[in-house]
Amino acid sequence: MKKILITGSNSYIGLSLNHWLVHDPTDYSVEFISLRDELWKEKDFSAYDVIFHAAGIAHVSTDPGMESQYYKVNRDLTIEVAKKAKSERVKQFIFMSSIIVYGDGSNSLKLIDRNTIPSPSNFYGRSKLQAEEAILPLQNDSFRVAVLRPPMIYGKGSKGNYSRLSNMARKSPVFPDVDNMRSMLHIDNLCKFLKSIIDFEESGLFFPQNREYVRTSEMVRLIAESHGRNIRLIKGFSTLLKLLATKNGIINKLFGNLVYEQSMSDYRIDYAIRDLKNSIEMTER
């Protein structure tokens, strides 16, 4: 039996992974721990095979007053937990980083491949990258470190940009028809991938994503369709949205291009169990 400790008692990803693993109670034992106070330092990590570090600040903020908090939580706390895990002989440490280490979306389509050098454009991305750079060298034969850099994660109960798109799809009669491209990852595909990472005791960098790239306009159309609505996609907004994207981070996240080259995400098993249409129907159900 694998004994797993998930950091972040309210983590969307952590709770979703637990939902997956509890179906095999003889194979996995899962517990959660909050890192909001100092009590976690008294926890005996030696009782666990895996620490899944899902705690952290997940949204992007442009408030300069938040910068120190991002480094404190996303970088410093990650390093502290990883070092404790290693010193107490945990076999595997899994860290949720992000595609954001490569920067925000852009107007032009540029595929991220294994040779692409990370270049975060905000302190959220820098805090994640610096955490990676500190914990990967901790790895040795008895302590495996797996770092995931997923694109935007969505699914039932998810928040952030997907919920904004869903809200628009359910209320607006029209939506801009923009020819952009995004890598995305449904929560079920991520959980299947995480389960495999644990089963195979993996280490290294990983880039899970859905099989299909996503056009924002097409995603909105599918969301509306799942609610029995027809939404009209209107062309002619590309130039305006490109201009707005340079000044508005939300516009850039919704309509910019941010794509992993597909072979980066190949894995020993097929973890993409939900296609785009099916995943949206399940999310909006």
Side-chain angles (χ1 to χ4, degrees):
M1 175 184 283
K2 294 272 188 181
K3 295 182 178 180
I4 303 161
L5 181 65
I6 300 176
T7 67
S9 54
N10 294 314
S11 161
Y12 173 67
I13 297 172
L15 291 169
S16 299
L17 178 61
N18 179 57
H19 178 72
W20 264 73
L21 297 181
V22 293
H23 294 299
D24 299 304
T26 59
D27 295 328
Y28 309 97
S29 169
V30 180
E31 294 181 28
F32 286 82
I33 187 170
S34 172
L35 305 183
R36 290 184 179 274
D37 54 38
E38 300 294 306
L39 293 177
W40 69 269
K41 295 180 180 180
E42 301 173 12
K43 181 78 170 179
D44 181 10
F45 281 10
S46 67
Y48 303 95
D49 301 296
V50 181
I51 303 293
F52 175 47
H53 186 54
I57 305 176
H59 63 279
V60 177
S61 173
T62 57
D63 179 2
M66 286 289 294
E67 183 169 4
S68 62
Q69 187 68 11
Y70 273 74
Y71 288 113
K72 179 180 179 181
V73 174
N74 287 350
R75 181 192 63 191
D76 300 344
L77 188 59
T78 299
I79 297 169
E80 203 171 354
V81 174
K83 287 182 175 179
K84 176 176 169 64
K86 182 177 182 177
S87 68
E88 297 183 13
R89 299 186 180 181
V90 175
K91 296 176 183 177
Q92 185 184 38
F93 184 83
I94 304 173
F95 173 55
M96 291 299 300
S97 186
S98 169
I99 195 174
I100 203 70
V101 301
Y102 294 103
D104 292 326
S106 63
N107 290 331
S108 59
L109 177 59
K110 295 179 181 178
L111 288 177
I112 298 168
D113 62 28
R114 290 189 179 274
N115 296 317
T116 303
I117 298 172
S119 55
S121 57
N122 52 53
F123 44 78
Y124 172 56
R126 288 191 291 273
S127 66
K128 287 288 190 180
L129 182 61
Q130 289 176 21
E132 289 183 21
E133 293 171 341
I135 66 173
L136 283 169
L138 296 176
Q139 180 172 286
N140 57 29
D141 291 340
S142 59
F143 184 65
R144 296 180 176 274
V145 178
V147 173
L148 277 64
R149 292 178 179 170
M152 188 176 98
I153 298 164
Y154 67 101
K156 192 73 174 177
S158 63
K159 299 178 181 179
N161 292 327
Y162 180 88
S163 62
R164 292 188 180 96
L165 291 173
S166 177
N167 189 50
M168 285 186 270
R170 286 182 281 113
K171 294 180 179 180
S172 176
V174 297
F175 193 81
D177 190 359
V178 178
D179 191 23
N180 71 322
M181 193 178 291
R182 310 282 299 195
S183 289
M184 294 185 67
L185 182 62
H186 185 258
I187 187 64
D188 286 353
N189 295 340
L190 172 59
C191 287
K192 176 72 172 178
F193 187 82
L194 283 167
K195 180 178 179 296
S196 300
I197 289 288
I198 292 169
D199 289 344
F200 294 118
E201 299 180 355
E202 300 278 22
S203 61
L205 277 171
F206 299 91
F207 314 87
Q209 65 176 329
N210 290 350
R211 288 195 197 94
E212 314 104 310
Y213 296 137
V214 179
R215 271 200 330 128
T216 303
S217 304
E218 176 64 10
M219 170 168 269
V220 168
R221 187 191 69 77
L222 289 172
I223 294 172
E225 187 179 275
S226 72
H227 290 281
R229 300 185 71 246
N230 289 319
I231 192 167
R232 185 182 175 195
L233 300 180
I234 302 177
K235 293 187 179 294
F237 283 85
S238 295
T239 302
L240 176 60
L241 289 170
K242 286 179 180 179
L243 177 63
L244 291 173
T246 61
K247 302 178 180 180
N248 187 306
I250 297 299
I251 296 293
N252 188 40
K253 291 179 189 308
L254 295 180
F255 296 102
N257 296 280
L258 194 59
V259 179
Y260 279 136
E261 193 269 324
Q262 281 285 355
S263 68
M264 291 178 70
S265 305
D266 290 345
Y267 189 56
R268 65 172 81 190
I269 59 108
D270 182 10
Y271 60 88
I273 58 174
R274 311 285 184 220
D275 62 24
L276 180 61
K277 190 173 189 301
N278 174 247
S279 68
I280 288 177
E281 288 172 350
M282 293 187 66
T283 301
E284 297 296 322
R285 186 178 300 161

